[in-house]
């Protein structure tokens, strides 16, 4: 899948997640990625919905469990811990909020 539909933050987030998964011995296939602007009274950022093709395995389970404390390095943005929206035998759907940092 191409990342033309997401901004620089979305592309950086997908790269950071793929690197994190690779560190766990996984090779995730990006199936879809989308984003929408998000803001609070103090922060500006985006809410990202990302679907990876990753077959179920003990490595995938460990990686997903580790995401709550993962440091997803992204220049100019901070990623909050991903929410795991769904999993099945072949895919994982994550939602991640990124905040602009200056």
């Amino acid at each position: 899948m191409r990342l033309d539909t997401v901004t620089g933050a979305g592309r950086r987030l997908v790269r950071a997640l793929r690197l994190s998964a690779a560190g766990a011995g996984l090779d995730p296939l990006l199936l879809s990625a989308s984003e929408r602007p998000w803001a609070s009274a103090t922060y500006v950022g985006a809410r990202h919905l990302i679907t990876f093709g990753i077959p179920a395995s003990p490595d995938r389970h460990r990686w997903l469990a580790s995401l709550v404390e993962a440091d997803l390095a992204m220049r100019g943005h901070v990623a909050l811990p991903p929410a795991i929206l769904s999993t099945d035998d072949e895919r994982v759907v994550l939602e991640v909020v990124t905040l602009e940092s200056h």
Side-chain angles (χ1 to χ4, degrees):
M1 150 163 217
R2 294 179 55 178
L3 291 175
D4 294 342
T5 60
V6 294
T7 65
R11 287 189 293 276
R12 287 186 202 100
L13 177 60
V14 168
R15 274 195 297 270
L17 286 165
R18 292 193 74 203
L19 283 171
S20 172
L26 301 169
D27 184 21
L29 173 65
L30 181 64
L31 299 177
S32 68
S34 64
E35 65 184 50
R36 67 179 193 264
W38 177 89
S40 71
T42 5
Y43 298 103
V44 174
R47 192 174 288 272
H48 306 267
L49 189 62
I50 299 168
T51 304
F52 284 120
I54 308 173
S57 70
D59 287 340
R60 182 181 87 168
H61 179 77
R62 281 189 291 278
W63 176 65
L64 290 173
S66 76
L67 285 178
V68 71
E69 295 188 20
D71 181 16
L72 301 172
M74 299 172 45
R75 186 183 73 243
H77 294 83
V78 174
L80 300 182
I84 302 165
L85 298 185
S86 68
T87 62
D88 63 25
D89 289 344
E90 297 297 323
R91 72 194 76 188
V92 172
V93 180
L94 304 172
E95 182 178 50
V96 185
V97 172
T98 58
L99 306 174
E100 293 179 13
S101 62
H102 301 281

